[in-house]
Amino acid sequence: MSATDDDKKKTSGKLDIATAMRQASAQLAELLRCEPGSVSAVKATEDGWAAEVEVVEMEKVPDTMSVMASYRVALDTEGRLVAYERARRYARGQIDRR
């Protein structure tokens, strides 16, 4: 009998990057009660995972004027949300000038 992927993740104590990304997005959506647009960054940390999640905060017409927000999210090693903060707000059509 072979172990499923979920069993392997539980026994190893570590999440893969795709699972961390999905969990960051889903848990933030539950707290904010709005749908995330995308996950723009994910990285492993000593304490678990850190992610940047883009969220539509206010729908506008045209949609390029919708207000977006970028949230920094921290997950523990088991994928539980332990912290989040809004890093910035911007219009959907805005391009970073870096």
Side-chain angles (χ1 to χ4, degrees):
M1 184 155 119
S2 66
T4 65
D5 288 339
D6 287 339
D7 291 337
K8 289 177 187 175
K9 288 174 197 162
K10 288 177 187 172
T11 57
S12 71
K14 293 187 180 184
L15 298 175
D16 60 69
I17 193 167
T19 303
M21 189 170 100
R22 283 191 300 273
Q23 291 198 8
S25 181
Q27 291 178 67
L28 185 63
E30 185 178 333
L31 285 172
L32 300 178
R33 299 199 184 262
C34 58
E35 284 302 309
S38 64
V39 177
S40 56
V42 179
K43 67 178 179 178
T45 65
E46 289 181 15
D47 301 324
W49 294 90
E52 295 250 347
V53 181
E54 309 303 316
V55 174
V56 179
E57 288 201 330
M58 286 191 288
E59 291 281 346
K60 299 276 187 167
V61 175
D63 69 350
T64 55
M65 296 305 297
S66 292
V67 177
M68 304 289 293
S70 182
Y71 284 84
R72 290 187 190 109
V73 176
L75 302 175
D76 66 13
T77 56
E78 298 197 8
R80 291 183 299 254
L81 186 80
V82 294
Y84 75 95
E85 67 179 320
R86 185 170 60 201
R88 69 184 194 110
R89 292 178 89 188
Y90 57 96
R92 184 187 296 246
Q94 181 181 344
I95 298 172
D96 286 339
R97 297 178 190 221
R98 293 182 193 193

